[in-house]
Amino acid sequence: MVKNIRETTLLTPTMAEDRSDNQPLFRDLDADDMDNQEMMEIESLCVNCEEMGTTRLMLTRIPFYKDVVIMSFSCPHCHYSNNEIQPGGRIQDEGCRYSAEIKTIKDLNRKVVKSDYASVSIPHIDFEIPPNTQKGVMTTVEGVIDRVVTGLEQDQPVRRAMDADTAAKIDEFIEKLNALKEVKTTFTMVLDDPTGNSFIENPYAPEKDPELTVSNYTRTLDQDKQLGLVASDDEEEDIVAKTGDDGIARPRTLAQQEDDEAAKEEIMVFPTNCSNCNSPCDTNMKVVPIPHFKEVIIMATACGKCGHTTSEVKSGAGIEEKGKKITLKMTDISDLSRDILKSETCEFQIPELELVMEMGTLGGKFTTVEGLLINIKDQLKTANPFLAGDSADQTSKEKIGKIFEKLDKVINGDLFVTLILDDPAGNSYLQNVYAPDPDPEMTIEEYIRSDEQDDELGIKHMKTENYTEES
């Protein structure tokens, strides 16, 4: 039995789906507008006295953080109560790994967002917090260390009485943890989250942080199983479907090839969830050829609940032999109208603004130069939880404010800058308005990728022969 508190009417699942108030599933948490916070009551069993109590649920969004489900249980019979917060956000397409070099006391103040599934390690002292052993938390580097120290000290009096040797070893380790807070020697903190929902602050944003390394990776099958994204037998079914029972790849038939060509001409629609409010919606996908370049896959999503729209571009041709660096020196307001394809592997720079958008920051975009600059401005406002809102310090606000002013001048055509697209996969593109003649304002350089770039693209780990066998 579910009751909507605000409307004081009983709702069945069907009635809830038929509502047409066009409100997002997860709404912003706002103390000035609590009437807009919709809550549900569910009759549930009390674990203390086994009588029926009431659970209240509120789906909300904490500004500049994430979607959460706030749950509160109370029992009128034994007066037992319990409160809990569960993450309600989506699991990202890729996992993330942050590695921060802690060199000064100031680095201890870096803000950290750690999800339930994230692991934290400090190789310097052979220390690790495994995933699913702590609740998600928003803290600092020093706060992570303090939390561990508090947990270890909690049962020390009992250990000293029961097992003095073990207690002495733990005391020794606690001393090592406390010594880290003095930063007498440099140490590294590694935050690894297969859900992609954890974060370590870049205090230099939007500039590149020399002490912070951020990488995204494709989850393993075991990680997908742990997150509940796939069933245990999905891999075997997928291999049989693609290769046959004997594990040998089958050549595609003429009919299958014709189906592939027909698929390129149609717009495919598949169900998904809105990245802003998590409500169900549809994503449209289409294969589009770009003149003088290659085919790309464009995906667009529009949410009917909150009105949020997103678009993303994926390369349809794989990774090129060499990386590509495109440099455009803007000389006229018409340069803002140039078509631009920024792949998800591309790093975007504006040296005059000391602005660097690293690989994977914006995802894939097919738009104009003006549209990309607007996307960057929106990304800086909303994606970094520590550049805006109450958690931002005055210095960060002033710094990002100056960058916004300069970006507005570029977008309005009052300031001409240099745009650099550095794509190790070679899948980015900037329109040559003089084509087929060379563009005097644009240079294109091809280069051989470094081992580090090959590693980031996953090329070093690719197995192109006998790939049905285990490595």
Side-chain angles (χ1 to χ4, degrees):
M1 182 176 66
V2 181
K3 183 175 74 172
N4 181 302
I5 294 179
R6 190 179 65 179
E7 297 181 357
T8 61
T9 56
L10 294 178
L11 290 179
T12 64
T14 304
M15 292 170 64
E17 291 171 3
D18 291 341
R19 295 185 63 196
S20 56
D21 56 3
N22 269 351
Q23 291 286 345
L25 195 60
F26 289 85
R27 306 177 189 179
D28 289 335
L29 186 60
D30 188 351
D32 297 328
D33 188 20
M34 288 305 295
D35 290 338
N36 191 44
Q37 298 297 327
E38 186 174 355
M39 290 180 282
M40 292 183 293
E41 284 187 356
I42 303 174
E43 192 176 10
S44 52
L45 183 70
C46 175
V47 296
N48 188 47
C49 69
E50 298 186 356
E51 295 288 342
M52 297 307 293
T54 303
T55 297
R56 292 177 174 84
L57 300 176
M58 182 170 71
L59 281 62
T60 188
R61 179 187 294 111
I62 299 176
F64 304 107
Y65 184 42
K66 62 181 178 181
D67 298 339
V68 296
V69 181
I70 300 176
M71 294 177 285
S72 173
F73 174 82
S74 61
C75 177
H77 303 283
C78 66
H79 305 293
Y80 173 77
S81 63
N82 183 37
N83 300 310
E84 189 176 346
I85 292 181
Q86 291 287 343
R90 63 187 288 268
I91 294 174
Q92 305 302 318
D93 295 332
E94 294 181 312
C96 66
R97 188 177 187 272
Y98 288 80
S99 179
E101 293 284 335
I102 310 302
K103 295 183 175 181
T104 66
I105 295 291
K106 189 177 179 181
D107 287 331
L108 294 174
N109 296 325
R110 287 178 184 260
K111 298 180 179 69
V112 176
V113 175
K114 176 190 170 298
S115 78
D116 295 2
Y117 298 96
S119 65
V120 178
S121 62
I122 302 177
H124 180 68
I125 57 172
D126 294 327
F127 170 73
E128 181 178 6
I129 303 174
N132 296 312
T133 56
Q134 289 184 350
K135 290 291 184 181
V137 66
M138 182 175 176
T139 181
T140 61
V141 171
E142 184 177 8
V144 172
I145 298 172
D146 283 339
R147 195 177 188 196
V148 174
V149 171
T150 302
L152 290 175
E153 288 179 338
Q154 185 174 0
D155 295 324
Q156 276 298 82
V158 177
R159 289 194 194 99
R160 291 189 184 101
M162 303 290 292
D163 190 346
D165 291 339
T166 301
K169 291 178 181 178
I170 292 176
D171 283 333
E172 183 181 344
F173 191 75
I174 289 174
E175 288 180 9
K176 290 183 180 180
L177 288 170
N178 286 324
L180 292 178
K181 296 189 291 183
E182 299 176 9
V183 198
K184 292 181 179 179
T185 59
T186 299
F187 67 92
T188 303
M189 177 172 284
V190 180
L191 178 65
D192 192 325
D193 186 0
T195 69
N197 288 326
S198 293
F199 182 85
I200 294 181
E201 178 190 14
N202 170 9
Y204 305 99
E207 299 170 31
K208 192 168 184 176
D209 187 342
E211 316 303 340
L212 182 66
T213 303
V214 184
S215 59
N216 295 90
Y217 59 87
T218 302
R219 284 183 293 270
T220 64
L221 183 65
D222 286 339
Q223 287 174 326
D224 280 339
K225 289 177 182 176
Q226 290 170 4
L227 297 176
L229 299 178
V230 295
S232 58
D233 56 352
D234 277 6
E235 182 183 38
E236 289 75 14
E237 292 178 358
D238 188 56
I239 290 175
V240 171
K242 291 181 179 179
T243 64
D245 294 331
D246 54 5
I248 300 175
R250 302 285 185 249
R252 299 182 63 77
T253 65
L254 181 60
Q256 288 174 323
Q257 294 174 11
E258 290 175 351
D259 288 342
D260 290 344
E261 291 299 321
K264 292 180 180 180
E265 301 301 322
E266 67 174 314
I267 298 176
M268 288 171 279
V269 182
F270 53 90
T272 185
N273 281 45
C274 173
S275 60
N276 184 53
C277 72
N278 215 27
S279 298
C281 57
D282 290 331
T283 292
N284 299 320
M285 185 173 74
K286 177 78 167 65
V287 178
V288 177
I290 297 179
H292 310 290
F293 191 51
K294 60 178 73 172
E295 286 184 342
V296 297
I297 301 168
I298 297 180
M299 293 176 285
T301 305
C303 178
K305 289 290 185 182
C306 68
H308 182 68
T309 59
T310 59
S311 61
E312 190 173 356
V313 177
K314 302 278 188 182
S315 171
I319 298 173
E320 295 294 320
E321 268 189 49
K322 295 182 177 180
K324 185 184 292 184
K325 184 177 182 180
I326 305 172
T327 304
L328 172 67
K329 294 183 178 179
M330 296 177 61
T331 57
D332 190 83
I333 194 171
S334 61
D335 288 328
L336 293 169
S337 302
R338 290 177 184 251
D339 289 334
I340 186 170
L341 169 63
K342 179 202 166 296
S343 79
E344 57 188 358
T345 57
C346 178
E347 179 180 276
F348 182 80
Q349 303 176 35
I350 304 179
E352 292 85 348
L353 306 188
E354 297 182 338
L355 177 67
V356 179
M357 305 298 287
E358 295 184 356
M359 179 191 301
T361 306
L362 281 171
K365 296 287 181 183
F366 182 40
T367 177
T368 61
V369 170
E370 180 183 8
L372 183 62
L373 294 173
I374 292 172
N375 286 151
I376 289 172
K377 183 179 176 182
D378 292 341
Q379 177 85 358
L380 290 174
K381 280 184 177 180
T382 60
N384 191 323
F386 304 121
L387 287 180
D390 296 336
S391 62
D393 56 51
Q394 192 60 33
T395 304
S396 298
K397 288 182 179 179
E398 291 176 358
K399 184 178 180 180
I400 201 68
K402 290 178 182 178
I403 291 176
F404 286 159
E405 288 178 12
K406 292 180 180 179
L407 273 176
D408 286 334
K409 288 183 179 180
V410 178
I411 293 169
N412 295 329
D414 299 327
L415 176 65
F416 298 134
V417 294
T418 303
L419 309 180
I420 301 175
L421 286 81
D422 189 347
D423 188 355
N427 287 325
S428 294
Y429 162 84
L430 185 59
Q431 182 185 13
N432 175 5
V433 293
Y434 298 91
D437 298 324
D439 190 327
E441 280 83 42
M442 185 169 68
T443 59
I444 301 176
E445 308 168 48
E446 291 188 341
Y447 60 87
I448 297 174
R449 285 183 292 269
S450 65
D451 287 342
E452 184 181 350
Q453 288 173 324
D454 280 341
D455 190 40
E456 287 178 346
L457 295 174
I459 295 175
K460 295 179 71 174
H461 307 290
M462 288 183 181
K463 191 174 182 182
T464 57
E465 295 179 358
N466 302 319
Y467 46 84
T468 57
E469 300 176 2
E470 290 196 13
S471 302

